[in-house]
Amino acid sequence: MREYKIVVLGAGGVGKSALSVQFSQGIFLDSYDPTIEDSYRKQVDVDGRPCMLEILDTAGVEQFTAMRELYIKNGQGFLLVYSVTDRSSLLELSKLYEQVCRIKGTKTVPIVLAGNKCDLAHARTVPFQEAKHLAHKWGTNSFYETSARTGVHVSDIFVDVVRQIQRRDSASSSSNASTHSASRVPTPTEKHRHTHSAASTIGGSETDRRRSSKRSSGKHSEAGLSTTYSKHKQKKKKAGGMCVIL
Amino acid sequence: MATDGIHSIFPPQERNYVAYYPFLRATHSFNPAVLESPVAGGCLDFVAGDLILLHSIHATGWGDGTSLSTNKRGWIPSNYCEPYDIPQVRPLLVAILNALVNPRADDGRSSQVAVTTIVSGVRNLLDGTDCLTRDSPLVRETEAINKSRRALLAEVSALVSCVKRQPPDHSISEDLVHRAHRVLVCAAAFLDTLDLDEYSYLPSPPPAEYTFETGSSVDGGGFAGPSLTFEYQPVSALARLNFLYDAALVCLGSFLNSSYVDTRAPAKLLLTTRRAAHACRELLAVVETVSSRASPIVYSLEEAKEAMYDRITAIVTAARDVVAAQCIENNGPESLLTESQNLIDAIVACVRTAGLCLAKAKYVLDRVGDFELEIDRRYLDYQLRSQLGESRRSSSKSESSYGMTAATSLDDEPWNLAPVSVSLPSDIEPEFKGKKTRTPLQDRIVFNADGQVQGGSLEALVKQLTANNAAPDALFVSTFFLTFRLFTTSTALAQALVHRFSSLSPDEPNVLAVRLRVYNALKGWMESHWRMETDNEAIPIIVDFAHGSLKSMLPFASARLLDLSKKVVDCDKPLVPRSMSKLGIDTSLGILLPDSSSVPTPIVNKLHLAIVARYVREGELPPSILDFDPLELARQVTVKESRLFCKIVPEELLGQEFSKKAGKSTAVNVKAMSSLSTDLANLIGESILAGDVPLKVRMNIIRHWIRVAEKCLELKNYNCLMAIACALQSSVILRLKKTWELLPPRYHSLFAELKGIIVYEKNYASYRTLLRNTSTPCIPYLGVYLTDLTFADEGNSDFRTFHPDMEDSSPIINFDKHVRTTKIIADLQRFQVPYRFQEVPELQAWLDVEIQRVHDMYLEDQHVLYRRSCMIEPKAGGTQAYGGIGAGIDVSAVTEGVSWSEERASG
């Protein structure tokens, strides 16, 4: 079984470890032992293929930058987590994103931006669109608002990053780089998508980097997005049973 | 509280005294050298027959004791000892304990009063053994008795003359304590020569496990003195099953004997019945544990188990009928005969069923494999309670936990069946509580299969802390006081404790013990766990309590609490520091390491030190890293890190305090240590990338750091090892391919080995194993603790449901979360032992200067090392591979890099 090393990055206190626990354990347990061997390993089916995910979480060692670099160096996909209740945690992600790109030596790294604690509506300080802009600046549509408490989009972010890794792998193994459209994999079904008021403009999370890099970060229009959205809808139909979300 | 020492909860009443056993007598000699462990130095060396004063006992069975013969203090294996408690000597023991071991400033005793009570204790002893006068026949006739009596009296007079030399009201001196101990030693020797039946000890192989009281059952007449049975060594289920089966048979057998011989002694019959029932229940409890592991359920075992419950019920019922028949005399002897026959039939049936149970349980064990039973304090509790006649428990509890209908019928008997004794299968646990009514708040508590508290309401946790049957477990107490601020407030806790005290009804079992434990909990909190900033709010409640109900019942306790309440309000350090690492025996021994190991001489060169000193002072001519001896460099870094590491206090590690931003966080030492690691890694990177040096020199610097890392491994400084490994694997260093190519193969493989010590794979599994077997001194890699603590905090919810499948689903505190946190912290504390290295001031100053310099450099520009790295070995593909993040670093890197090197060259 193919193993995927997913690195979870973000400032302390954004609840990123709760996301890892929620994902690897399935539910919020009464009793969770973080010291045992397979605490952060989880097997999931992505599009019918079993994958083993090893989650590397910098929880508690955010300060020890040298250690973080080691994690990044070994990671294949990255979850960048901030808290919707803490604006500074979003700002810190830019530095982390740069570090990931620098260490990986490329800007096309499998990456997902996740705004955690979205269940705390009353304490929200980061609007949905602001983070979405940032994701576009990074050239990705893979942005979700999550809640480790309620489980919203928790598995989606991990599945999304695995898909991105798979896509990158197949793209690099393919001799013709232009076949990217063939290797594009359907994204999570619509009902799993965010139900924010702006839901209609969110669109799919296909990370067609060429397309998004063409769109300048400021200019992405509603129309452009809804095109993606409708395309996504068609794809979804085709994907049907392939899309296995835990 | 278990760690508190026994004497503090020791009341003068004899009955309670028996329960705590502060005096032990060695049944076997013990030589710590046989432990073959470096920690043996902290153990007490004793020979069989020595008297030991036990200060506290740990759940592992190791106790902290003072040998009365040598007056030395250290760790003792309690299974080598038994409680020393003979009726004749009891007044003397009480006198010594009350007067010397537990001197209380407030009860106005002077040393003279203390000695007077001791003297009267000795008189009591002589009187009780008919040896009060020299002319008594025993003394006259037996030379040995005469001799030991004289020795005892000589010690007493020495004690008296010692106290006479002191001014009146003088506090009790060391010398006096020692002499009082000598009196007790002589008293014991004297009693030995008397060869009392009650106390004759014969050397036998060291006891390995449980002792079940069966031998003396025939002579009846009340229980013999309780035996100290610390069932702490893990016992395999099979061994215990066999053992209990034998014990049950002996009990049932002796039962048959006595009922045949004398059915006219109801007391004896009841006693024997009670023993038999105990033995069978113990056996059943293990069978329950075994059956809970059988998957799928083995029905024949379930049937045998059920039958066994019925048989015990039948025996108890039959015994009651016999006793009842005896009381109604006009029924005639024939009726009694019928009743006796019924009892005998019941016993025979029970023996048969016990055999069946054993066979079926063994069958299950064959399939699932033998396992170790949980180490469970309740073994001991069971014994004490039953033997002290305090076994009365609510019928509903034993009824529902065992499904025994007989329990209700037994309820009016003084020999009510013992409660749960061996760890119950976890699925039975919730059955503790009645199903119909809502469980009262103070009973909402959930245990896991090991008997560890997993959750409970604050009231229930407080009840557990002040339980009526046993001192609470050390881990529970430590966890409670370390973490209670995370789930309640100090005022709520103080109120709950006061409520616990005042809501006790006088006829509750062990009401005195509970009151003392409430006092003890408050005392322990104030002495060792007080935190001014949050806890001072609770002072008025405690003071009110001390002035009120406590004063009338326990005046000394009231005085002590009032005294403490004055001290704690403005004291920011614990009055009595207590490390949680004492939870584990080997760890506390680590701290007791003898000071004999010599401090190694620093490996330094005077000339080099002078260069270093000049650089630190004047900032000229930086010394080359290559001139430092790798071992000495490792030592100096270790000293620096160790100092910070030892300063870390548990509060820094709670509730992700260390993840808060610098300045807002109170976790100063953790923060300082993390930042030292980062700076150190940057310093290493900088030292390799600095200057315009030949490839070979750069390679030498890398090699030098690999050597330092190797020394760190030897010194067991894993934190620094990790910093070096990370630094050398960082992208700025790793990309220097030409430099690495020059590194000799030997160092390549050494580096591969070193970076393999701490790998995150499988959640640091290999490193965790390594650390488990590491002795102090050692600096563990802090990051693993911080990650574990973060996950323990975020991965476990604060509350859990009490009974998820029942109506009673109100949330209770998830205590398990806090136990996990405490265990992680205790493991960290295990290593908080300083290294014995000499600081070299010049090197320390140099490290400080360099760390600060690199820190500032990094703060100013995070990409400086990256640019230097690119300068040294430019990218193969030019600028296109990494297309300029932010301000287009690559282009500027090259230009800045050039200007930097030009500067360097010209300067």
Side-chain angles (χ1 to χ4, degrees), chain A residues 1-4 42-53 158-159 162-171 173 182-186 241-246:
Chain A
M1 197 190 321
R2 165 84 205 264
E3 278 204 18
Y4 296 86
K42 166 108 176 170
Q43 188 190 325
V44 292
D45 274 7
V46 177
D47 308 323
R49 266 181 292 179
C51 308
M52 179 59 82
L53 270 61
F158 286 92
V159 169
V162 169
R163 287 211 179 97
Q164 291 188 40
I165 298 170
Q166 290 173 342
R167 202 157 35 211
R168 195 204 50 190
D169 286 356
S170 55
S173 66
S183 63
R184 197 189 293 149
V185 184
M242 267 174 82
C243 195
V244 183
I245 301 193
L246 301 178

Side-chain angles (χ1 to χ4, degrees), chain B residues 315-599:
Chain B
I315 290 179
V316 173
T317 319
R320 280 168 57 87
D321 289 347
V322 171
V323 175
Q326 284 165 346
C327 298
I328 311 158
E329 285 182 284
N330 55 5
N331 267 13
E334 280 143 33
S335 151
L336 190 57
L337 212 62
T338 325
E339 308 295 352
S340 303
Q341 192 55 48
N342 285 345
L343 176 58
I344 290 160
D345 289 347
I347 292 163
V348 172
C350 186
V351 170
R352 204 180 302 132
T353 315
L356 193 66
C357 264
L358 180 73
K360 296 297 172 195
K362 278 184 174 170
Y363 165 71
V364 171
L365 279 182
D366 273 350
R367 285 198 340 195
V368 301
D370 199 5
F371 56 90
E372 279 186 356
L373 290 174
E374 308 294 344
I375 298 169
D376 196 331
R377 290 174 62 88
R378 278 180 291 183
Y379 287 123
L380 179 65
D381 292 350
Y382 155 72
Q383 281 240 319
L384 284 178
R385 209 169 20 243
S386 58
Q387 286 165 352
L388 295 171
E390 291 160 6
S391 60
R392 184 176 275 273
R393 288 279 281 257
S394 71
S395 61
S396 64
K397 193 161 182 174
S398 37
E399 186 180 28
S400 58
S401 60
Y402 277 121
M404 259 198 75
T405 49
T408 25
S409 70
L410 285 164
D411 198 29
D412 51 343
E413 297 290 342
W415 36 277
N416 193 3
L417 291 178
V420 202
S421 46
V422 184
S423 55
L424 283 167
S426 52
D427 55 331
I428 289 186
E429 292 271 342
E431 301 295 314
F432 266 147
K433 322 290 175 191
K435 283 194 173 182
K436 287 161 201 152
T437 51
R438 272 180 76 84
T439 316
L441 217 49
Q442 73 269 19
D443 290 333
R444 293 183 186 206
I445 192 156
V446 179
F447 298 90
N448 66 4
D450 306 345
Q452 206 175 56
V453 177
Q454 284 200 297
S457 62
L458 176 62
E459 291 76 7
L461 294 178
V462 164
K463 191 178 173 189
Q464 182 72 15
L465 191 68
T466 58
N468 64 356
N469 47 16
D473 158 82
L475 177 64
F476 177 81
V477 176
S478 297
T479 306
F480 188 90
F481 281 113
L482 179 63
T483 62
F484 76 86
R485 296 170 195 86
L486 298 174
F487 55 77
T488 186
T489 61
S490 55
T491 48
L493 173 61
Q495 272 157 357
L497 280 164
V498 171
H499 181 259
R500 168 81 170 143
F501 190 96
S502 51
S503 64
L504 284 172
S505 77
D507 36 274
E508 193 160 321
N510 275 336
V511 66
L512 179 67
V514 177
R515 286 193 183 130
L516 283 163
R517 288 200 177 104
V518 171
Y519 154 64
N520 226 36
L522 283 167
K523 184 171 78 89
W525 177 15
M526 292 166 94
E527 280 181 349
S528 311
H529 307 280
W530 197 261
R531 268 159 68 188
M532 262 167 62
E533 60 276 21
T534 53
D535 297 356
N536 278 357
E537 289 171 13
I539 285 287
I541 299 166
I542 296 171
V543 169
D544 275 358
F545 170 60
H547 279 305
S549 42
L550 184 64
K551 195 169 189 179
S552 56
M553 290 189 215
L554 302 164
F556 72 93
S558 160
R560 178 80 182 124
L561 288 192
L562 288 174
D563 179 47
L564 281 172
S565 66
K566 280 181 208 123
K567 283 183 189 156
V568 291
V569 283
D570 50 10
C571 179
D572 59 352
K573 271 191 183 139
L575 299 168
V576 183
R578 202 169 281 150
S579 165
M580 263 180 317
S581 62
K582 298 233 162 48
L583 292 173
I585 182 79
D586 47 340
T587 62
S588 41
L589 285 179
I591 296 161
L592 295 176
L593 265 180
D595 281 5
S596 57
S597 52
S598 58
V599 181

Side-chain angles (χ1 to χ4, degrees), chain A residues 18 31-32 34 36 69 74 98, chain B residues 731 760 763 794 796 820 885:
Chain A
S31 184
Y32 168 70
I36 53 173
E69 195 171 324
N74 290 297
E98 284 179 19
Chain B
S731 55
Y760 57 79
N763 194 10
E794 286 198 13
N796 289 294
R820 285 185 195 285
I885 296 302

